[in-house]
Amino acid sequence: MLEVLVLGTAAGGGFPQWNCACENCRRARAENWPPRRQSSLAVSADGRTWHLVNASPDVAGQIETYLTPRLAPATARFSPVGGIFLTNADLDHTLGLLQLREGESLNVTAPAAVHASLDRGLRLGEVLGAYAGLTWRDATTDWSAVDAAGLEVRAVPLAGGDPPRYDRASAEPGPLAVGYLFRAGGRVAGVFPDVAVIDEPLREALA
């Protein structure tokens, strides 16, 4: 089984955005449109252990709304999150890691350049190391096992990405952004939130 939950579909800041007075945000407030959280997905092969694609600043509310109600935890403290797959080093995709410090040690998969930016620019490893800690895994372009439920993943490098504003001097080799392909039970799902250029390698992955 392969299950994908959309946890959020908005850009940075959510929708309506707190400091935005565009027509859409004004109408959303005036007409009480349901708010949209910042973009993120959860992927699972068994419906119990979920892997996040990016950890937005809205991650706690997303987990409480979409993942926690599906579980019947046997202990007072638990987490449905088995790991996090980062597509780039943007704050909108990574600040949620700080909220997840209250759980167990985090398993975070990311390209080397993304890992380096987060450690150098935000001291993320040092900060989270003072709490539950985290384990970094390199995003590989080969299929690899994610968990015992049979979920597999491979990264797809994306062209044209920019380093984050807080680490413009980044000179790490490798892609600054990736997408991911997940597969389980004969099904495949692709997650590509950071596409700047549709090039031939991306077309091949989508095919």
Side-chain angles (χ1 to χ4, degrees):
M1 178 179 73
L2 178 64
E3 189 172 4
V4 178
L5 292 179
V6 178
L7 305 181
T9 58
F15 177 79
Q17 185 169 304
W18 68 273
N19 64 342
C20 184
C22 73
E23 179 181 356
N24 283 336
C25 286
R26 289 199 307 270
R27 287 189 61 191
R29 296 184 187 103
E31 301 175 21
N32 293 318
W33 293 358
R36 289 165 49 199
R37 293 186 169 113
Q38 296 176 69
S39 66
S40 182
L41 292 172
V43 183
S44 178
D46 62 8
R48 294 187 299 274
T49 300
W50 294 87
H51 302 271
L52 305 182
V53 180
N54 295 322
S56 85
D58 298 326
V59 68
Q62 291 170 334
I63 292 172
E64 180 67 18
T65 300
Y66 297 107
L67 302 185
T68 300
R70 291 169 165 256
L71 306 176
T75 60
R77 287 279 187 172
F78 78 102
S79 173
V81 178
I84 302 101
F85 292 84
L86 300 180
T87 59
N88 65 13
D90 286 355
L91 295 180
D92 297 332
H93 291 161
T94 58
L95 284 181
L97 294 173
L98 297 173
Q99 295 193 52
L100 298 177
R101 73 190 184 280
E102 297 169 335
E104 298 177 353
S105 179
L106 302 176
N107 296 311
V108 180
T109 299
V114 171
H115 178 184
S117 285
L118 291 170
D119 269 350
R120 181 172 48 239
L122 298 183
R123 297 169 53 199
L124 192 65
E126 181 180 347
V127 172
L128 290 179
Y131 294 89
L134 77 166
T135 300
W136 288 102
R137 298 177 179 174
D138 289 334
T140 174
T141 56
D142 297 322
W143 285 106
S144 59
V146 174
D147 59 27
L151 185 65
E152 296 179 297
V153 67
R154 80 175 180 91
V156 178
L158 299 176
D162 295 320
R165 293 185 186 182
Y166 60 81
D167 190 33
R168 289 297 194 190
S170 174
E172 298 295 323
L176 297 171
V178 297
Y180 292 100
L181 293 176
F182 295 93
R183 71 181 181 187
R187 294 184 173 183
V188 178
V191 185
F192 300 88
D194 305 306
V195 175
V197 177
I198 301 179
D199 56 8
E200 193 55 34
L202 177 56
R203 293 180 187 276
E204 292 176 1
L206 293 175

